[in-house]
Amino acid sequence: MIDTLQALLVSPLTDYGFMKRALVAGLALSLAAPPLGVFLMLRGMSLLGDAMAHAILPGVALGFLLAGFSLPAMSLGGILSGLLVAGLAGSVSQLTGHREDAAMASFYLISLAAGVMLVSLGGSSVDLTHVLFGSILAVNTTALWLIAGVASVTVLVMAVAFRALVVECLDPLFLRGQGVHSGLIQGLFLGLVVLNLTAGFQTLGTLMAVGLMMLPATAARFWSKRLEGLMAVAVVIALFASTGGLLLSYHLGLPSGPSIILLAGGVYLLSTLLGRYHSLLARVRRRATPLDTADESA
């Protein structure tokens, strides 16, 4: 029994170098990205992560055209492109009064089309698939250092600026009263989002990198009402999805990236049905409680 469990759950992750690197990359992203997803959810900006994932595509594509599959060039291009799109969307919103979410949606559609066009002009459909959907099993040592570095910086910055991020999320006017410009904190937060999406494109691609950020965060809201609890549950779900997705892809011969995201999506669907708060089961119990109380009183 123990040997069977080891062969199913442990050996695939420890016997092969590419699986070890994929596991470390997935675990690193799972520690850093879900807490950012929780903040996006609390800000009512859940779709911003998807927009930012598309926004990094032109920079990644330009880096690919200039240097091929050079991770430093593609990552630098993605970071610059993401920050540029976020800055342009914010500027358009402030100067014209256009809603920021509408401005971001407009820019991310332009970015997506521009990125796909650039990759298509300079490469094959295989190149386009790699950039859009990634390949966690192809993570090399350079990519692993980048992902680990981004995850470490994200966790450190969030630990130092945690209170400011929470206050800016809930009451930006109070933050201004304390002499801290809310735009600075928001810029710092968006920068962390861009960094994590850029780190994630190598493993999950630009189109699915946001999945590991948002799905665990949205699932966590069915299990906790406290911010710390939301972040802890989101990280646990992401760790489970990363590890379980790799095992599923190994044993069933499935693509690794979609396996990770679909497993996280499965946890989200189960949470909507069985979660402690706001789920279908919780609603049924809440509706049944007054009836039970009335029967006992009678």
Side-chain angles (χ1 to χ4, degrees):
M1 180 66 177
I2 296 177
D3 292 339
T4 302
L5 289 176
Q6 182 173 358
L8 289 174
L9 303 179
V10 179
S11 296
L13 300 174
T14 58
D15 290 351
Y16 306 99
F18 68 92
M19 289 292 284
K20 290 180 182 178
R21 290 190 293 271
L23 178 63
V24 173
L27 296 182
L29 288 173
S30 298
L31 290 173
L36 295 173
V38 170
F39 275 117
L40 284 171
M41 181 180 65
L42 293 178
R43 290 165 176 258
M45 302 166 65
S46 297
L47 292 178
L48 178 65
D50 186 56
M52 296 304 297
H54 291 80
I56 71 173
L57 184 56
V60 171
L62 188 59
F64 166 73
L65 287 178
L66 296 176
F69 282 114
S70 170
L71 183 62
M74 295 169 72
S75 299
L76 179 61
I79 292 171
L80 294 177
S81 176
L83 293 177
L84 177 62
V85 170
L88 287 174
S91 299
V92 168
S93 176
Q94 291 181 1
L95 294 176
T96 66
H98 198 206
R99 284 177 57 90
E100 187 172 6
D101 58 343
M104 182 62 73
S106 301
F107 276 104
Y108 101 71
L109 290 170
I110 296 171
S111 301
L112 176 62
V116 172
M117 182 66 72
L118 285 172
V119 177
S120 299
L121 290 175
S124 65
S125 60
V126 175
D127 301 328
L128 179 60
T129 301
H130 180 85
V131 172
L132 292 178
F133 301 105
S135 178
I136 193 170
L137 298 181
V139 171
N140 55 26
T141 304
T142 303
L144 200 57
W145 277 109
L146 171 68
I147 294 169
V150 168
S152 300
V153 169
T154 301
V155 172
L156 180 62
V157 171
M158 290 190 68
V160 172
F162 182 77
R163 293 188 64 182
L165 288 170
V166 173
V167 174
E168 197 275 333
C169 176
L170 301 177
D171 191 357
L173 293 178
F174 175 80
L175 192 65
R176 293 177 188 174
Q178 300 299 309
V180 180
H181 197 283
S182 60
L184 178 63
I185 302 300
Q186 184 176 11
L188 176 65
F189 173 72
L190 290 178
L192 292 177
V193 172
V194 170
L195 279 175
N196 279 267
L197 292 175
T198 304
F201 94 85
Q202 174 71 9
T203 56
L204 300 172
T206 58
L207 295 186
M208 284 192 294
V210 70
L212 201 61
M213 182 179 292
M214 292 310 308
L215 282 171
T218 53
R221 70 180 294 270
F222 295 102
W223 298 102
S224 179
K225 290 184 176 180
R226 295 179 57 85
L227 179 59
E228 296 86 351
L230 287 171
M231 291 185 174
V233 172
V235 168
V236 170
I237 293 173
L239 292 173
F240 168 75
S242 297
T243 307
L246 284 174
L247 289 171
L248 285 176
S249 69
Y250 176 84
H251 290 297
L252 301 179
L254 301 172
S256 52
S259 297
I260 292 172
I261 302 304
L262 285 175
L263 191 55
V267 174
Y268 169 77
L269 293 177
L270 285 176
S271 299
T272 63
L273 297 174
L274 306 175
R276 187 176 180 185
Y277 304 104
H278 312 297
S279 68
L280 180 61
L281 180 61
R283 289 179 179 272
V284 170
R285 286 178 175 176
R286 188 165 61 248
R287 290 174 181 174
T289 299
L291 296 177
D292 296 339
T293 302
D295 291 340
E296 291 176 2
S297 300

